[in-house]
Amino acid sequence: MAEAHQAVGFQFTVTPDGIDLHLSREVLKHIYLSGVTSWIKRAIRFKNGILTGVYPASPSSWLIAVIAIMSTMYARIDPSLGMIDTIKRTLPVSDYMTVQTQTVLSAILFATGLWLSLILMLRYILKALLSYHAWIFESHGKMSFCTKLWLSLVKMFSGRRPLLYSFQASLPRLPVPSVDNTITRYLESVRPLLDDEQYNQMEVVANDFKRDEAPKLQKYLILKSWWATNYVSDWWEEYIYLRGRSPIMVNSNFYTMDLLYVIPTHRQAARAGNVVHAMLQYRRKLERGEHAPLRALGVVPMCSYQMERMFNTTRIPGIETDFVQHLSDRKHLVVYHKGRFFKVWLYYGGRHLWPSELETQFQRILDDTTEPQPGELKLAALTAGNRVPWARARLKYFSQGVNKASLEAIETSAFFLTLDDEAHGYDPDKLRSLDLYAKSLLHGKCYDRWFDKSFTLIAYKNGKLGVNAEHSWADAPIVGHMWECQEVIEDSYMVAKEIADDVDFHGCLFDVFGKGLIKKSRTSPDAFIQLALQLAQFRDKGEFCLTYEASMTRMFREGRTETVRSCTIESTAFVRAMDDKNTKSAQRLDLFRKAADKHQNMYRLAMTGSGIDRHLFCLYIMSKYLNIDSPFLKQVLSEPWRLSTSQTPQQQLNMVDINKFPRYVGAGGGFGPVADDGYGVSYIIVGENLITFHISSKFSSPETDSYRFGQNIRQAMLDIRALFDQNDKKDVMSRQTERSL
C-alpha cells in the first residue's frame, strides 16, 4: 500500500529502483534552513542544560564569584586560606604559563570550586526543605508559623525563573516506609471487609510475615532506595505495565475528552491543523525544557520526569515484556483515515508547518478516495489484541523490507492522528451521547487507533477532539504485502472487539452542586466524593469492597502514584448509618466528618511516601528475586480492586479562566474497569458547580450496570448534601430561639 496514499507536498517519487530526487535551489534552500534550525535547537538545549545543571545558581553568578575572588587578591586578602597558593604550586611553569598567569588561573579554579560547592549546598538545603511535609496535614485555610517560615525559605532557595527540570536534582527521594507501619495500616484497611475469623487469620499471616520474611526483604529494599533514584518507579513500570501480556486497549490505556460544551470549529481538518500546530509548539518548549515546573501552592515543585516521554514515544511489543522506545525530535506524524495510513511531514524550511498548511495536508487526506491495501484496514488491531501474537507478528512480518520501513514510520512518529469518520461529543439533546463519546475514545473500532503510541489524537468529523493514551510511558502509508499476516490481524481484531463490545460506559454530569458548596461545609471535595462512591457501591451491591484511589507522589524524584484505600472502618460506619432509619441525621453527620478526616489523612500519607501498596508491591518483587515464598504477600497482591477510582486534576485540562469562560471546560477522561465484576470511576471537579463522572464496567457481569451505578452516585451525593442542609436548618432555628429568649 506503500505509495498509494501519499499526502501532498512531497517532491520526490519512490520507484522500484529507489528514490528519484529532483534537486533545485528551493530544495537546497530548505536543506540549509533545516540545518540552521537544527543547530539552533542544539544551542538552545545546551544553554538550557547549563541553566538547569547549575540551578538554583546561574552562570552569571560564576562570573561574580570569580570577580569577587580576584578583587580580594588585589586587596592582598586571601579568602582561600592558602588553597589558591596550593593550586598555584601544582600548575606547571612554562613560556605560556607565567607566574601571573598561574595566579589568575589558580584564583579562577578556586572560585569555580567554591561556586560549585555553593550550588551543591543550596541544593542540599532545598532538598532538606522539600522533605518537610507537615504543611500537607494542616487544616485547610490554616497555616502554622513553622509552615509560613518554611514557605519563605523554599521561595528564597528556589531561585528565579526555574525551567522544567531545574528542581529535579533537589527533589527528595521516596522514602521506604517501615514494615510495622505498612502491616498495621494494611490490617486496618481490610478490617471492614473481613469477618472476625477471616481477620484473625489474616492477622496471624501478617505477623508471621513481619517476623520471618519481612526483615530481609526490607533490608534489600532500603539498599535499592539508596542506589536507585526511586525504589518503586522502575519496577512499577516494568511489572505492572510492560510485562502485562493481555491487551492494553481498555485494560491499560485511558482517554481524555475535549471541551465539554464548545467546538471552536466544525471543520475537521482545520481543528486538527490548529491542535497539531499547538502541540508542536508545546513539544518544542518541552524538548528545550522551557516550560515552568508544576508547583503545589505555587512553591513546592513536582517531579517533571514523566513529561520527557510525552512525544516521540512508542511501546514496542515483546514476547515476555515490552519496552518503551523514546526518540528525539521526530519530524513527522502518521495519520489514519478510513483504513489508510499517511506519513505527514511537520516541518518545512526548518520551521513547523503553520495551521493552515497542516489543514491543507489533512483536507487532502480526507478527500483521498483510494481504497486500503490488503491487510491495511485493520492493521492497528495488532496493537489492540494480546501482546504475544503482536510481538511474534512483528518479528515475522515486519523485520525487513518495505514492511519494516513502514512500521518504523509509525513507531518513530511524533504521535498518531486519527481523522475519524464519525461525529461524537456531548449533546444534551441526544441520549447517552457522552457514553458513546467515551467508548469511541477508549477503543474506537479497535483498529483505528495505534494503541502503542504514547498518545493518539482523534479528530472527529464534527470538529470534536479527544486523546487515547498508552499508560506506561504514527511516506508513504503503511505496510506493503500485508496479506501474509491478515490472519494474525483478524485474530487480534476479534480479541479486541470482544473486549470493546463488553465495555459498559456511562458519563454522568452532576451539576446540582459542586466544589463551592462542599467547601462551605468545611469538607474536602475529594473526601466528599469518595464517601459518596462508598455509599453508592454499598447500595449497588449490598456489600463493601476493596477500593483503589490513585494519589500522586510527584513531590519525590521520579514519583508516580500511590494507592489510597478508600474503604475504611470509618467510611463503612458512615454508610451503614445512612441506610439505618434509627440513626439520627446529627449522628450521620458526625460519622461523615470522621470518615472524611480519615480519608484526608490517608491521602496525605500516600502523597508523602507513607502509603502501603507500593511498599507491599516492592516487597513482593524483592521476594521473587530472592526466591522467598510469602503467603502474606501472595494474598495481598491477589486481592481484587472491585472499585477503582481516580480524580483528574482540573488544572491539567483547563488552560482558560473558567470563571470568565464557563463554557470552556474540559470533560475529563476515564479508563476501563479493573475487575471483571467491578467498576472504574474517573471524575473531574470542574469549577464551583460541576462534577463529571466517567463510569465503566462490563456487560458480561450480571452484578454491574454503569448507568445504574451513575444514578446511585447521584443519589448518594444528594443524600450527603441533605445532611448538611438539615444541620444548617437546625443551626438557624437554634439561633432564632436564642434571639427570642
Side-chain angles (χ1 to χ4, degrees):
M1 20 200 125
E3 292 78 43
H5 313 310
Q6 289 191 20
V8 298
F10 292 92
Q11 299 300 316
F12 59 85
T13 56
V14 181
T15 70
D17 300 320
I19 298 177
D20 181 16
L21 180 63
H22 304 285
L23 291 177
S24 66
R25 290 183 180 179
E26 188 68 15
V27 172
L28 292 174
K29 174 185 174 183
H30 291 308
I31 292 174
Y32 167 75
L33 290 175
S34 296
V36 171
T37 302
S38 178
W39 280 105
I40 290 175
K41 282 184 178 179
R42 292 178 185 176
I44 293 173
R45 288 175 184 169
F46 178 75
K47 180 200 75 172
N48 290 340
I50 292 176
L51 292 175
T52 298
V54 303
Y55 201 83
S58 64
S60 60
S61 63
W62 172 81
L63 185 61
I64 294 172
V66 170
I67 293 173
I69 295 298
M70 297 294 292
S71 300
T72 58
M73 292 186 65
Y74 281 110
R76 301 190 180 279
I77 300 173
D78 184 8
S80 70
L81 302 177
M83 292 182 66
I84 293 178
D85 288 336
T86 302
I87 297 172
K88 182 179 177 181
R89 286 195 295 271
T90 63
L91 297 176
V93 179
S94 66
D95 294 339
Y96 301 100
M97 185 73 72
T98 63
V99 174
Q100 186 175 6
T101 304
Q102 281 184 318
T103 303
V104 172
L105 184 56
S106 300
I108 291 174
L109 290 173
F110 172 76
T112 301
L114 179 64
W115 178 68
L116 291 173
S117 300
L118 288 173
I119 290 174
L120 292 175
M121 184 181 71
L122 288 172
R123 285 184 176 177
Y124 181 81
I125 293 172
L126 186 56
K127 182 178 287 190
L129 288 170
L130 294 176
S131 298
Y132 170 84
H133 296 130
W135 63 275
I136 295 179
F137 295 89
E138 293 182 349
S139 301
H140 182 72
K142 296 180 180 179
M143 189 178 293
S144 66
F145 172 77
C146 288
T147 297
K148 290 178 181 178
L149 177 62
W150 168 78
L151 276 175
S152 300
L153 290 172
V154 171
K155 289 178 182 178
M156 183 173 69
F157 285 98
S158 290
R160 295 183 299 168
R161 295 190 295 276
L163 298 175
L164 182 61
Y165 304 113
S166 293
F167 291 110
Q168 290 299 102
S170 301
L171 292 173
R173 297 191 180 205
L174 184 69
V176 180
S178 71
V179 172
D180 285 345
N181 285 344
T182 295
I183 297 297
T184 299
R185 288 175 184 155
Y186 170 78
L187 290 173
E188 183 182 352
S189 72
V190 298
R191 185 64 187 95
L193 305 175
L194 305 175
D195 59 32
D196 291 343
E197 183 179 353
Q198 292 172 325
Y199 179 76
N200 290 334
Q201 291 176 349
M202 176 57 75
E203 200 171 30
V204 170
V205 174
N207 287 329
D208 288 345
F209 168 75
K210 183 166 64 173
R211 182 185 64 250
D212 299 331
E213 302 98 356
K216 184 177 181 179
L217 299 177
Q218 181 77 348
K219 286 178 184 177
Y220 279 100
L221 204 56
I222 291 173
L223 180 62
K224 188 197 175 190
S225 74
W226 291 344
W227 178 255
T229 307
N230 187 296
Y231 81 94
V232 175
S233 294
D234 57 337
W235 283 352
W236 187 256
E237 179 175 297
E238 179 179 358
Y239 292 102
I240 296 300
Y241 295 119
L242 298 180
R243 282 185 178 266
R245 302 294 81 197
S246 59
I248 62 175
M249 184 198 76
V250 175
N251 297 322
S252 179
N253 286 28
F254 59 94
Y255 67 86
T256 301
M257 288 183 171
D258 195 6
L259 298 173
L260 188 59
Y261 303 114
V262 175
I263 303 179
T265 176
H266 290 276
R267 300 204 320 271
Q268 185 177 13
R271 186 81 199 282
N274 276 304
V275 172
V276 168
H277 181 264
M279 285 182 166
L280 294 177
Q281 298 292 96
Y282 180 90
R283 185 184 69 162
R284 178 163 61 185
K285 292 188 69 176
L286 180 64
E287 291 178 338
R288 295 175 177 178
E290 292 178 343
H291 289 291
L294 179 66
R295 293 199 268 185
L297 303 179
V299 176
V300 185
M302 302 287 108
C303 179
S304 301
Y305 168 73
Q306 293 181 56
M307 298 181 71
E308 293 179 5
R309 299 186 290 180
M310 186 180 297
F311 295 91
N312 321 323
T313 301
T314 305
R315 176 173 175 160
I316 306 298
I319 302 299
E320 295 184 356
T321 182
D322 298 349
F323 70 92
V324 176
Q325 172 185 275
H326 176 66
L327 305 170
S328 61
D329 194 23
R330 299 292 91 189
K331 291 180 167 50
H332 72 278
L333 63 80
V334 169
V335 181
Y336 178 93
H337 177 61
K338 289 188 175 180
R340 292 95 34 83
F341 291 77
F342 301 81
K343 181 175 181 178
V344 176
W345 294 103
L346 300 172
Y347 289 82
Y348 180 79
R351 63 166 176 81
H352 289 148
L353 293 183
W354 300 116
S356 58
E357 294 169 328
L358 288 166
E359 179 185 354
T360 300
Q361 297 271 39
F362 298 150
Q363 189 59 54
R364 293 190 183 181
I365 291 173
L366 292 171
D367 295 339
D368 191 313
T369 58
T370 55
E371 293 296 319
Q373 295 293 316
E376 185 180 16
L377 175 65
K378 297 179 181 178
L379 175 67
L382 289 169
T383 69
N386 289 312
R387 304 304 291 173
V388 174
W390 170 208
R392 287 176 177 159
R394 192 174 185 275
L395 291 172
K396 185 175 182 180
Y397 302 111
F398 299 89
S399 59
Q400 58 185 354
V402 178
N403 287 4
K404 179 181 179 181
S406 299
L407 181 61
E408 283 181 353
I410 295 177
E411 293 181 339
T412 63
S413 61
F415 56 93
F416 193 87
L417 170 65
T418 295
L419 295 176
D420 209 295
D421 56 356
E422 296 180 350
H424 280 290
Y426 173 63
D427 185 344
D429 296 328
K430 291 184 178 179
L431 184 65
R432 306 196 75 170
S433 60
L434 199 61
D435 307 0
L436 296 174
Y437 182 22
K439 281 181 66 68
S440 175
L441 289 175
L442 188 66
H443 54 67
K445 298 173 184 175
C446 304
Y447 56 79
D448 53 356
R449 286 93 172 93
W450 199 269
F451 294 101
D452 283 351
K453 287 302 291 182
S454 55
F455 68 89
T456 296
L457 176 67
I458 300 115
Y460 293 103
K461 65 186 297 184
N462 60 341
K464 208 72 173 178
L465 294 175
V467 169
N468 180 286
E470 198 278 313
H471 212 308
S472 68
W473 39 288
D475 277 32
I478 193 78
V479 189
H481 311 296
M482 278 299 309
W483 60 270
E484 292 178 8
C485 65
Q486 284 192 65
E487 184 178 348
V488 180
I489 295 174
E490 194 63 27
D491 288 345
S492 294
Y493 168 68
M494 294 308 297
V495 169
K497 189 174 186 302
E498 184 178 354
I499 294 172
D501 290 346
D502 195 26
V503 177
D504 178 16
F505 251 95
H506 177 57
C508 176
L509 298 179
F510 185 84
D511 55 4
V512 181
F513 62 90
K515 178 178 68 175
L517 186 66
I518 295 173
K519 282 191 169 183
K520 287 180 181 178
S521 61
R522 300 188 302 278
T523 302
S524 158
D526 185 69
F528 188 103
I529 293 170
Q530 284 292 327
L531 289 171
L533 290 174
Q534 289 299 313
L535 181 56
Q537 161 70 23
F538 187 75
R539 289 173 173 174
D540 189 81
K541 291 191 174 182
E543 62 182 10
F544 298 104
C545 69
L546 199 60
T547 304
Y548 181 109
E549 181 187 6
S551 165
M552 67 91 180
T553 55
R554 287 180 59 195
M555 289 190 294
F556 301 97
R557 192 168 183 179
E558 295 186 17
R560 291 191 65 157
T561 61
E562 178 56 275
T563 304
V564 180
R565 294 180 168 231
S566 301
C567 183
T568 63
I569 296 172
E570 290 80 2
S571 68
T572 55
F574 160 71
V575 168
R576 292 185 190 281
M578 286 296 290
D579 287 345
D580 182 1
K581 296 180 180 179
N582 297 321
T583 305
K584 296 180 180 179
S585 61
Q587 293 174 300
R588 292 172 178 170
L589 185 58
D590 183 59
L591 290 170
F592 171 84
R593 293 198 184 281
K594 289 179 180 177
D597 289 343
K598 176 68 175 182
H599 181 270
Q600 278 188 276
N601 187 62
M602 290 195 309
Y603 200 96
R604 290 161 174 166
L605 287 170
M607 286 181 64
T608 54
S610 296
I612 64 174
D613 283 278
R614 299 301 178 269
H615 185 204
L616 291 169
F617 163 76
C618 288
L619 289 171
Y620 176 76
I621 298 298
M622 190 65 75
S623 73
K624 290 299 181 182
Y625 279 118
L626 298 176
N627 292 319
I628 295 176
D629 184 61
S630 171
F632 170 72
L633 290 176
K634 282 183 180 178
Q635 185 164 346
V636 169
L637 271 294
S638 65
E639 293 168 344
W641 301 94
R642 290 193 171 87
L643 180 56
S644 184
T645 71
S646 179
Q647 180 186 170
T648 303
Q650 179 183 318
Q651 64 269 23
Q652 287 187 6
L653 296 179
N654 291 303
M655 302 301 175
V656 299
D657 186 344
I658 60 176
N659 293 319
K660 293 182 180 179
F661 306 97
R663 292 184 61 79
Y664 282 77
V665 296
F671 51 87
V674 175
D676 291 340
D677 56 350
Y679 291 106
V681 181
S682 175
Y683 54 93
I684 179 172
I685 302 170
V686 185
E688 300 295 305
N689 300 300
L690 176 64
I691 302 169
T692 302
F693 293 92
H694 300 255
I695 305 157
S696 65
S697 61
K698 293 189 175 182
F699 286 118
S700 57
S701 172
E703 300 177 24
T704 59
D705 182 308
S706 293
Y707 178 79
R708 182 186 72 207
F709 195 61
Q711 296 306 303
N712 283 331
I713 293 173
R714 178 180 291 274
Q715 190 58 51
M717 296 281 287
L718 294 173
D719 289 349
I720 295 175
R721 175 188 171 175
L723 294 179
F724 290 94
D725 291 342
Q726 294 171 12
N727 186 65
D728 291 341
K729 288 180 181 179
K730 289 181 180 179
D731 288 343
V732 170
M733 293 177 63
S734 178
R735 286 194 294 269
Q736 289 176 343
T737 302
E738 289 177 358
R739 289 172 185 169
S740 63
L741 292 174

